[in-house]
Amino acid sequence: MEAARAGRAQAGLLRQSRTCDVLGGDRRLVGGRVLADFCGNDYLGLAGHRQLVAAFTRTAAAEGVGAGAAHLVAGHRGEHAALEEELADWTGRERALLFSTGVMANLGALQALLGAGAMPVQGRPDALCVQDRLNHASLIDGAHLAGAELRRYPHADAHGAARQLDARPGLPALVATDGVFSMDGDVAPLAALAVVCQERGAMLYVDDAHGLGVMGPQGAGSVAAAGLGANDVPVLMGTLGKALGCAGAFVAGDASVIEAITQFARTYVYTTAMPAALAAATRAAVRLARTDPEGRRDRLAANIARFRAGAAQLGLRLMPSSTAIQPLLIGSAGAAMAAASALETAGFLVVAIRPPTVPPGGARLRITLSATHSPERIDALLDALGRLPRALESAAV
């Protein structure tokens, strides 16, 4: 492990955590400096919303902080049950099941769906999992955990997914994809993937961590935005720590599917339930996201359009994304780190994303926008991007 760590450090790819204290709105205190946050995932700015804080505080005062047990022991509270019902209704599914994190949801659900009833025999997998090449790491790890045969298709290529399914026609199959890709910001071809799966009898599983709350009717996510329902996407995963501003995740689907995941997902069975206070705060967030009384989705859409228009005027090579994730391709890890450092000097917190999170040569600035960003703040970031030194010259058209 030490040799691996030293090798990563020598390659300039070592990761380190930093303390980023919240000062309100989009401001963060980092290393004694106040920075404007353009790297978080609080897309609707709900994390500090007064209704969420009030719901959390009220429930914590009544029930305490920790749930004290796993859901299937004594940790399942009324707030958990109510949140699952509201998430199922919002996403148009029969049932939803809460997990402590999105990673745990993907690991547990895929392990249950691919491995529970079809364990490998004599080293031969009895299930097939077909995934987009740029899927989140937890989806890939979930297929490995289940012991399934994992086959990858070129990014956002539904025909490629069909070819991988056709290569192994005798195996029960599941196709898994991000709804919105976390590092590229583009949206999966969900309608085309649904057709591919229906024609071949495969199950479609969508991780909508970055689409839920910001896309589709009532913010129901990328699946709803594509006009698809439960018959098209039998299993939907969503996280609660991005647009909803809380923490945790859920998997939603038909009652029989969710019951199977309840029984066989080890990351659900063997972990303490999330605090009831957090579930209460999430319920408040769901109501706000569904009704959007303050027009936060419209503000986010306007901010995305403003940023992309300004970047085009500067000749910056943004990747093709219509979502809150706006990656600026740099190329080398060193140049991306230099660009992030220059932006921090100018007062902006923007993280450089480097391999192995992205492919070699694909280092980038992952700029994320929120409904809380003012037009003036976005213009100031654009001005800082336009004044970046040689580190960004390779990103100009």
Side-chain angles (χ1 to χ4, degrees), residues 12-16 332-334 336-337 352-359 362-364:
L13 301 177
L14 201 64
R15 297 165 172 153
Q16 295 178 317
S332 74
M337 290 294 289
I353 304 297
R354 301 162 288 161
T357 304
V358 293
R364 65 200 62 181

Side-chain angles (χ1 to χ4, degrees), residues 89-158:
D89 181 68
W90 188 22
T91 58
R93 266 75 182 167
E94 288 183 352
R95 279 187 59 188
L97 187 70
L98 290 174
F99 285 81
S100 295
T101 70
V103 170
M104 293 175 71
N106 280 336
L107 293 180
L110 290 182
Q111 173 251 323
L113 293 169
L114 292 167
M119 297 302 292
V121 178
Q122 296 180 346
R124 296 171 55 190
D126 289 335
L128 172 68
C129 188
V130 174
Q131 297 202 23
D132 190 292
R133 190 162 294 279
L134 297 187
N135 269 359
H136 192 272
S138 59
L139 289 172
I140 300 165
D141 292 347
H144 287 310
L145 178 65
E149 178 178 338
L150 175 62
R151 300 178 73 95
R152 311 284 288 278
Y153 59 89
H155 178 51
D157 183 355

